[in-house]
Amino acid sequence: ILLAGAALLALSVGASAQTVGFSQIGSESGWRAAETTLTRQQAEERGYTLQFSDAQQRQENQIAAIRSFVAQGVDAILLAPVVATGWDAVLQEAKEAEIPVVLLDRQVDSSDDLYLTAVGSDLVHEGKVAGEWLASEVGDNNCRVVELQGTTGSSPAIDRAKGFRDGIAGKANIEIVRSQTGDFTRTLGKSVMESFLQAESGGKDICALYAHNDDMAIGAIQAIKEAGLKPGQDIKIVSIDAVPDIFQAMAAGEANATVELTPNMAGPAFDALEAFWKDGTEPSKFIQTESKLYTQADDPSGEYERRKDLGY
Ligand code: GZL
Ligand code: ZN
């Protein structure tokens, strides 16, 4: 009996019978849905109990969720912060409760001693890759660009706007003539693109669309078609995420380029947490995921097939 008892004790200490609270932004895009799917799968595989909260894009719901996770005494908190500001107080509360917080796919302006680490891409770099692709595409021709920005105040919207402008810097022939948030959704991407087309004499003067994510681009493609124009030809389309549906659009010649953002942020996050739980190992404050440009030349149909069952 003693041996059995010792074995059970060892199992309970060693096994990851951990409870993790996940404050997810919502399900505004296919990419976000895939991130949630993969996080649930990883938690399952690793034997964690995942307490999931969908904030419906509202920061106050995320703050309330974090407070409830702290009250529950979870072993860690995952946070995908909808906007970059306003987190100091609640992150301080988690710190005082000695609960490690890992940021997923977006950054916060809080001091980095208020979270264990942040897992995400170089969002500025993504925008720059998109800008550089457009610059290479148009050469010396004049190009009037419209921009669908992500959620106002979110780090991807801020950084992807900056990066794209870095990518076209010095190109006097490329001009961003309209820029507005589409909140990362297909619906708003479509309606804002409709307003751009109306404001730009039906769109004949628009050379390209830069969308901060594929979902807004997909909505915009619908609007462009309804306006009687050919997306991917009359108006070049470059966006970010590499969701399956953008590859379908590319295969149909209706989109031109996307920068991949991996939806697997949970893997690196859980690896860092396991090291921290085991012996207090402090990871670097930023664990960067890779970004990769895909164009119509990169087997879009094959890329669609590879991604279509990943939970987007
Ligand atoms: C970027 C991530 C963005 C995705 C969008 O890291 O936060 O949020 O690009 C999602 O699809 O809405
Ligand atoms: Zn770069």
Side-chain angles (χ1 to χ4, degrees):
I1 289 175
L2 265 181
L3 267 181
L8 262 180
L9 183 70
L11 191 69
S12 68
V13 167
S16 49
Q18 308 285 34
T19 299
V20 177
F22 180 15
S23 172
Q24 179 59 296
I25 291 172
S27 53
E28 72 283 0
S29 70
W31 184 90
R32 180 77 41 204
E35 183 187 56
T36 295
T37 300
L38 290 173
T39 304
R40 289 183 186 283
Q41 285 170 354
Q42 294 259 6
E44 178 85 24
E45 280 161 24
R46 296 172 190 235
Y48 304 156
T49 298
L50 190 74
Q51 307 280 9
F52 182 78
S53 158
D54 176 328
Q56 328 240 297
Q57 310 268 342
R58 300 173 67 87
Q59 180 174 30
E60 59 269 28
N61 292 342
Q62 294 199 283
I63 291 170
I66 294 166
R67 291 204 158 112
S68 91
F69 296 148
V70 171
Q72 283 175 57
V74 297
D75 301 292
I77 293 169
L78 301 180
L79 169 65
V82 60
V83 292
T85 56
W87 301 99
D88 291 0
V90 75
L91 291 178
Q92 187 61 41
E93 291 165 30
K95 186 178 176 74
E96 278 155 17
E98 297 183 352
I99 298 173
V101 175
V102 175
L103 303 180
L104 301 187
D105 74 80
R106 294 189 188 179
Q107 295 281 357
V108 298
D109 70 355
S110 303
S111 156
D112 67 13
D113 66 332
L114 291 182
Y115 52 87
L116 181 70
T117 187
V119 178
S121 61
D122 176 341
L123 297 159
V124 175
H125 173 78
E126 295 169 336
K128 189 172 182 192
V129 168
E132 288 167 345
W133 173 83
L134 183 64
S136 71
E137 185 71 13
V138 303
D140 296 334
N141 299 317
N142 284 335
C143 187
R144 303 174 86 252
V145 184
V146 295
E147 178 186 31
L148 288 170
Q149 297 204 335
T151 300
T152 304
S154 68
S155 65
I158 294 162
D159 290 353
R160 287 173 178 170
K162 175 184 181 333
F164 185 82
R165 285 157 179 77
D166 293 347
I168 63 170
K171 305 282 182 188
N173 57 312
I174 303 177
E175 183 194 1
I176 301 170
V177 295
R178 294 189 185 275
S179 183
Q180 193 173 328
T181 185
D183 211 18
F184 285 128
T185 69
R186 294 189 184 199
T187 305
L188 263 178
K190 181 178 183 200
S191 58
V192 174
M193 189 68 207
E194 283 163 355
S195 67
F196 286 164
L197 290 161
Q198 279 147 27
E200 291 288 332
S201 52
K204 66 175 174 32
D205 302 339
I206 298 174
C207 147
L209 162 67
Y210 168 49
H212 290 189
N213 81 335
D214 295 341
D215 280 62
M216 293 190 289
I218 290 160
I221 286 166
Q222 195 56 41
I224 293 165
K225 288 160 94 169
E226 288 172 8
L229 294 172
K230 291 186 181 60
Q233 296 176 58
D234 299 328
I235 298 178
K236 298 290 183 193
I237 314 258
V238 56
S239 55
I240 301 172
D241 279 355
V243 302
D245 288 350
I246 204 68
F247 289 108
Q248 270 200 318
M250 268 192 220
E254 295 177 351
N256 304 90
T258 186
V259 183
E260 181 178 40
L261 173 73
T262 174
N264 178 19
M265 301 286 173
F270 288 146
D271 289 347
L273 281 167
E274 280 170 14
F276 179 73
W277 285 324
K278 184 163 171 285
D279 56 18
T281 304
E282 292 274 350
S284 73
K285 288 297 179 180
F286 180 45
I287 299 173
Q288 184 177 330
T289 60
E290 291 311 304
S291 310
K292 183 170 183 286
L293 177 72
Y294 286 88
T295 68
Q296 288 179 7
D298 297 312
D299 182 21
S301 304
E303 291 305 332
Y304 172 75
E305 287 303 318
R306 264 183 284 286
R307 288 168 165 75
K308 70 180 179 12
D309 301 323
L310 292 181
Y312 284 90

